[in-house]
Amino acid sequence: MSTRSTLEFLKTETGSGLILVAAAGLAIAAANSPASSAYFAFVDHQVTIQIGAFDETMSVLKWIKNGLMAIFFFVVGLEIKYEVLRGELSNPRRLALPVLAAVGGVVIPALLYWAINAGPGGHPNGWPIPTATDIAFALAALAIAGPRLPPSLRVFLLTLAIADDLAAVVLIGVLFSTHIDWRTLAGAGATLAVLAAMSQWRRAPYFFYVAAFLLLWAFTLKSGVNTSLAGVAAALTVPLEPRRPGGASALHELMTALHPYVAFLILPLFAFAAAGFSLADGPPGAAFQPLPVGIAVGLFIGKAVGVFGAAALAIGLGLARRPTGARWTDLLGVSILCGVGFTMSLFIAGLAFADPLAQAQSRLGVVAGSLASALVGMAVLAWSQSRRNDAPRA
């Protein structure tokens, strides 16, 4: 790895991948067990929070999605800012391949989904769902299947997933922000301006950051704009320069402090609340309707074709170089792993559909497509690593 920050990020996110698997498995098991009524009652339970003039009532799932996940997007924003200014995304030669591959990994899955859902009974508005990549799941699968593969593959996957997350945030902001209250949005803008001005105060107490972020989040929630944008926007105002000579920056300290909570608490909690679906929901054959099929095909086939195809084209045209030490089979395996959309795909699906049946079908499609991508991608990487190990040494 090129930076200490990237090493820490990989270690934390990879470790949380196994916890995410367990949380998702527990949710699906609970949703299809005698305890299913208790599970769905917990997820749908209404909770009211009132602090001064702020008064909001939402279900447990929506509080997790609109509240806790804003912290996840804040960490994503911190990582994006660091990588753009100091990390992998700051090097144009290293940036070309993962960014072009990310573009292919967004366009092709969306087109496949739309083609399957364009006819009667389809849900064409769900096309952003299969465009996402789950960093934690994908890195965990790569670490398990190919622990001795070139480190450049991990950097490629991390950079691609970060670019993918940035595209997802843009799509969320453009497509899923409705009924905007311009007065509260102006309040969010003013709060963001205060945060930007405060970035010049390198030794600002973290209490000020927390208070301003909570105010920005509250304004954004009330404005109708998705709170994920508040998280990313706030992160971009955090200074990268050291707080004192020879010390760490506020950005680095916040990333270090928040990563464990996001990786081992917030994301597993979201996975448990959002992944549960009942196999008994809907009429017979509901699992083979255009919505779940489009998501599964988009993730499993679309992501692999889009990422690998765009990467191969960029390398063939001389626009980028293959990751150092990586073979084509390694790149193919990583491209398939990009179809593990899980967390981000579930998040987008929850925004795209309000109908319970459509939500259940979208969760089924996300889980099926992500699981197929993980298993096949890991198999290809394990096979590639075994061939590398069996190759005669010079």
Side-chain angles (χ1 to χ4, degrees):
M1 296 299 112
S2 60
T3 67
R4 179 178 178 83
S5 174
T6 302
L7 276 169
E8 293 171 350
F9 181 82
L10 287 169
K11 181 179 179 181
T12 304
E13 293 299 324
T14 300
S16 72
L18 298 179
I19 298 179
L20 279 176
V21 172
L26 182 60
I28 296 171
N32 292 276
S33 73
S36 61
S37 58
Y39 169 78
F40 287 111
F42 164 73
V43 171
D44 296 329
H45 180 67
Q46 299 294 305
V47 177
T48 299
I49 294 180
Q50 184 175 6
I51 303 175
F54 180 84
D55 188 356
E56 189 69 39
T57 300
M58 292 188 290
S59 67
V60 169
L61 175 57
K62 287 188 176 181
W63 274 116
I64 296 171
K65 185 169 63 177
N66 293 316
L68 292 180
M69 287 296 284
I71 302 174
F72 162 73
F73 282 103
F74 178 72
V75 174
V76 169
L78 293 175
E79 187 66 29
I80 289 173
K81 179 173 182 176
Y82 181 86
E83 293 297 336
V84 167
L85 297 180
R86 299 285 176 83
E88 294 301 321
L89 300 182
S90 65
N91 187 324
R93 293 177 62 84
R94 295 179 181 176
L95 181 61
L97 183 63
V99 168
L100 291 174
V103 172
V106 170
V107 173
I108 301 302
L111 290 176
L112 277 178
Y113 175 92
W114 186 85
I116 294 172
N117 281 269
H123 295 76
N125 59 312
W127 64 265
I129 299 173
T131 64
T133 296
D134 188 295
I135 298 177
F137 261 130
L139 286 175
L142 176 60
I144 294 170
R148 293 183 297 277
L149 290 175
S152 60
L153 286 172
R154 290 171 173 78
V155 175
F156 169 76
L157 178 56
L158 172 63
T159 310
L160 187 153
I162 289 173
D164 204 75
D165 280 349
L166 183 58
V169 170
V170 173
L171 289 175
I172 289 170
V174 172
L175 300 176
F176 302 115
S177 295
T178 57
H179 308 296
I180 296 177
D181 184 325
W182 293 102
R183 291 179 301 175
T184 51
L185 186 60
T191 307
L192 188 62
V194 171
L195 274 168
M198 199 168 66
S199 67
Q200 303 302 313
W201 183 13
R202 297 180 186 176
R203 297 190 183 185
Y206 285 120
F207 171 78
F208 289 179
Y209 283 106
V210 173
F213 177 72
L214 288 175
L215 186 60
L216 173 63
W217 171 84
F219 274 129
T220 305
L221 177 67
K222 291 296 187 179
S223 72
V225 174
N226 192 271
T227 55
S228 62
L229 296 184
V232 173
L236 298 182
T237 67
V238 178
L240 187 57
E241 293 74 20
R243 290 169 61 84
R244 57 186 59 84
S249 66
L251 186 145
H252 183 269
E253 289 180 350
L254 285 172
M255 276 202 301
T256 302
L258 291 176
H259 263 311
Y261 294 101
V262 169
F264 297 107
L265 177 61
I266 293 176
L267 288 182
L269 187 58
F270 172 74
F272 177 75
F277 62 87
S278 174
L279 296 173
D281 283 343
F288 301 99
Q289 294 299 309
L291 174 56
V293 171
I295 294 173
V297 170
L299 287 172
F300 179 50
I301 297 178
K303 271 290 187 180
V305 172
V307 171
F308 185 77
L313 182 62
I315 294 170
L317 293 176
L319 300 176
R321 294 180 179 179
R322 205 184 331 166
T324 305
R327 300 179 176 181
W328 285 109
T329 50
D330 301 333
L331 195 59
L332 175 61
V334 171
S335 300
I336 297 173
L337 284 186
C338 290
V340 182
F342 194 69
T343 303
M344 289 297 294
S345 292
L346 287 175
F347 187 85
I348 296 173
L351 299 175
F353 303 115
D355 177 62
L357 177 58
Q359 287 189 0
Q361 290 181 331
S362 63
R363 291 170 183 173
L364 174 61
V366 169
V367 172
S370 297
L371 183 61
S373 298
L375 294 177
V376 175
M378 291 173 69
V380 171
L381 289 171
W383 175 70
S384 182
Q385 181 171 271
S386 67
R387 287 186 60 199
R388 188 186 302 270
N389 294 338
D390 293 340
R393 301 191 181 211

